[in-house]
Amino acid sequence: MTTGGIETFITFGVYLLFLMAIGVYFYVKTDTHEEYILGGRGVGYWVTAMSAQASDMSGWLLLGLPGAVYLSGLKQIWVIIGLTIGTYINWKLVAPRLRMQTEEHEALTIPTFISRKSNDTKGYVKTFSAIVILFFFTIYSASGLVSNGKLFESLLGIDYRLGVLIGGGTIIFYTFLGGYLAGVWTDFFQGILMFFAIIIVPVVAYFAVGGSGAIDVAMTQKNISINLLKYPEALSIPVIISGLGWGLGYFGQPHIIVKFMSIKSVDELWKARLIAMVWVVISLIGSIAIGLTGIALYKTVQDPEKIFIYMIGKLFNPWVAGVLYAAILSAIMSTISAQLLVASNTLTEDFYKYIVKREKSNKELIWVGRICIIIIFVIATLLAMNPNSEVLSLVSYAWAGFGAVFSPVILFVLYKKEIYWKNILISMTVATVTVILWNQSGLGKIIYEIVPGFLMNVIVLYILEKINKDKK
């Protein structure tokens, strides 16, 4: 069943052409390898803020969270609180030091930075870090392509696999040509579109249903409440710890923290932080409001995660609806492009540059990066060709993997003057094993695996640093 019409076709077409035009523009503007993978460290604070948050929230903000609220009120409030706190701490404690120290060590990727800061001359830490990034980001990108395909299928009625190729092909086009700058500038416009949509839809819905009274009645009829006291399980210690634990993942998400490395000046980070926090808080409130007003608009829906799509189709004329549908596409695309770029940069910087020993030109490195984007995209697309692919269930798993493996290490590396590379390698390995075993044993259903993985990383790294401090 399709929701959109010819207007959505036209809107999507214009929108995709606009994104590709950005790619062409920055293809002409990009001359050096550093510009291609990090924007030459000259990105403004507005673009940095919007790009980081658009890449972060993805389709979860417009699809997952409203669907969860529609089903059970604010049972997911701990995740929301955890993400909000994590966002602020990331901008406050990680961003300034990461921007300065990566430039001091001439590092363009996270694996290279960790390796150089810990004096890993043999490259073991860098190699392990790069493998983790490549594995999880390929899966992450595939899950985004699945969402892309389903969106095109439900809105335009086209074949799911064709939808994967159209959406993914557009991302590849502008990312392949324009690199990092094309990615952050498309993220900037996508972030604005997402913000606009997440405000206007619940406001229109609120007045359409007749205000808060009608929403309260509908919630009572469906036995849904925003009062957590009516959901004892939501107040249990494991649920609270697991929800807040999502915030621990921010410090280790390469596609988010790489944005800190590219800002023009450390002095502009406080402005970016302010913009980012306003965007996050208002967007999360808007997302919750979508779920609550949706309860009053629809007694039942076939797929709760599509409540935002259903509301747009019911409340707006086709042309406005087409623009708002594009916001959902934006949420998905912004994350995939950021992930593809980080994975490509990892292959180029952390493997190719050190395997091929001869002198390499900027042009050669840029084209190697573009080829790597194609390779990763092909693998991710093959994984996404099955509409029922299980990669979607691995999104939270990947967040836990990055958060447990990288978050403690990033904090230690940034705030310690010296750190021993072998200690990092051991702690990262322990964290990886902990996350995998915790998830596979089913314990992740009790407490989110990022929590034990993060704690094991911190404990092991702290103890080893105390034991081996004389080896630095």
Side-chain angles (χ1 to χ4, degrees):
M1 179 179 175
T2 60
T3 308
I6 186 63
E7 296 88 355
T8 305
F9 264 105
I10 295 172
T11 305
F12 271 34
V14 171
Y15 178 65
L16 296 179
L17 287 173
F18 171 70
L19 296 181
M20 289 190 284
I22 292 176
V24 173
Y25 176 81
F26 283 107
Y27 173 77
V28 177
K29 293 285 184 178
T30 301
D31 297 316
T32 68
H33 180 232
E34 185 176 2
E35 287 177 340
Y36 187 77
I37 71 172
L38 208 57
R41 297 188 193 268
V43 180
Y45 62 89
W46 267 101
V47 176
T48 298
M50 298 295 283
S51 176
Q53 298 318 132
S55 299
D56 166 22
M57 288 301 179
S58 187
W60 176 83
L61 183 69
L62 301 182
L63 300 176
L65 180 55
V69 173
Y70 176 86
L71 280 177
S72 54
L74 294 183
K75 286 175 69 175
Q76 300 293 326
I77 190 65
W78 304 114
V79 175
I80 297 167
I81 293 173
L83 292 174
T84 304
I85 296 173
T87 299
Y88 179 79
I89 295 174
N90 206 24
W91 279 99
K92 181 69 175 178
L93 300 184
V94 174
R97 288 179 179 250
L98 189 67
R99 172 61 179 85
M100 290 187 293
Q101 293 185 27
T102 52
E103 187 170 26
E104 289 171 4
H105 289 83
E106 298 181 343
L108 300 179
T109 65
I110 296 301
T112 296
F113 169 61
I114 297 173
S115 183
R116 290 180 180 173
K117 185 73 187 287
S118 62
N119 198 28
D120 172 30
T121 56
K122 296 183 179 180
Y124 292 138
V125 170
K126 179 170 61 179
T127 301
F128 182 82
S129 302
I131 291 171
V132 171
I133 287 174
L134 289 171
F135 173 75
F136 279 119
F137 270 158
T138 301
I139 301 297
Y140 234 143
S141 299
S143 68
L145 290 172
V146 171
S147 300
N148 228 332
K150 289 185 175 181
L151 182 65
F152 276 86
E153 183 179 47
S154 62
L155 289 182
L156 303 179
I158 64 177
D159 180 73
Y160 163 82
R161 293 173 180 81
L162 182 59
V164 169
L165 294 175
I166 292 174
T170 304
I171 298 169
I172 281 296
F173 184 88
Y174 68 75
T175 306
F176 177 91
L177 290 179
Y180 185 83
L181 287 172
V184 293
W185 273 97
T186 53
D187 287 348
F188 173 73
F189 292 112
Q190 288 166 336
I192 292 174
L193 188 56
M194 290 164 62
F195 189 73
F196 167 75
I198 214 162
I199 291 175
I200 192 173
V201 172
V203 168
V204 172
Y206 178 84
F207 289 105
V209 301
S212 57
I215 296 172
D216 290 338
V217 170
M219 291 176 66
T220 302
Q221 291 174 345
K222 293 188 66 176
N223 198 28
I224 294 173
S225 175
I226 59 173
N227 183 0
L228 287 181
L229 294 177
K230 293 190 176 182
Y231 300 106
E233 69 274 19
L235 296 174
S236 68
I237 297 301
V239 170
I240 294 173
I241 291 174
S242 295
L244 295 177
W246 277 81
L248 297 173
Y250 269 108
F251 324 127
Q253 304 298 320
H255 64 299
I256 298 174
I257 62 177
V258 71
K259 305 302 171 65
F260 304 153
M261 297 162 58
S262 69
I263 194 167
K264 187 183 301 181
S265 169
V266 176
D267 295 333
E268 293 188 342
L269 275 169
W270 72 268
K271 300 175 188 175
R273 182 176 72 244
L274 178 61
I275 294 167
M277 291 309 302
V278 170
W279 190 97
V280 166
V281 171
I282 293 178
S283 295
L284 287 172
I285 293 172
S287 184
I288 293 169
I290 289 169
L292 294 177
T293 53
I295 293 170
L297 275 174
Y298 295 95
K299 290 184 178 180
T300 58
V301 292
Q302 185 177 5
D303 183 353
E305 288 199 343
K306 291 183 179 178
I307 186 66
F308 188 59
I309 296 175
Y310 301 144
M311 290 171 67
I312 291 172
K314 183 171 185 174
L315 295 171
F316 298 91
N317 73 60
W319 289 107
V320 176
V323 174
L324 296 173
Y325 288 142
I328 304 174
L329 186 61
S330 295
I332 298 169
M333 282 186 158
S334 59
T335 301
I336 300 175
S337 63
Q339 292 163 351
L340 285 173
L341 273 168
V342 170
S344 168
N345 296 343
T346 297
L347 278 174
T348 307
E349 275 289 303
D350 303 318
F351 286 115
Y352 182 80
K353 278 183 72 172
Y354 292 91
I355 291 173
V356 180
K357 299 296 183 181
R358 59 176 170 75
E359 188 70 24
K360 294 163 283 292
S361 67
N362 279 310
K363 186 176 181 180
E364 177 185 349
L365 291 172
I366 290 173
W367 276 101
V368 169
R370 286 173 175 151
I371 292 170
C372 289
I373 287 174
I374 296 294
I375 293 171
I376 297 163
F377 172 72
V378 169
I379 297 172
T381 301
L382 291 174
L383 291 173
M385 278 295 114
N386 176 10
N388 299 314
S389 176
E390 294 182 359
V391 293
L392 276 174
S393 66
L394 290 176
V395 171
S396 64
Y397 189 29
W399 182 274
F402 283 129
V405 173
F406 289 113
S407 286
V409 171
I410 290 293
L411 293 174
F412 268 84
V413 166
L414 290 176
Y415 281 87
K416 285 203 69 176
K417 195 174 250 187
E418 293 181 320
I419 190 165
Y420 191 36
W421 70 266
K422 285 187 179 180
N423 298 343
I424 291 177
L425 185 60
I426 293 171
S427 72
M428 291 174 78
T429 303
V430 170
T432 303
V433 173
T434 301
V435 168
I436 293 172
L437 292 180
W438 196 271
N439 178 274
Q440 293 301 310
S441 67
L443 291 173
K445 296 178 182 178
I446 301 173
I447 291 182
Y448 186 25
E449 55 265 26
I450 193 174
V451 177
F454 185 97
L455 291 176
M456 287 300 295
N457 197 333
V458 170
I459 293 169
V460 171
L461 190 50
Y462 179 79
I463 292 174
L464 290 177
E465 278 292 293
K466 287 292 186 182
I467 295 172
N468 301 316
K469 60 182 178 180
D470 58 317
K471 295 183 180 181
K472 298 174 190 175

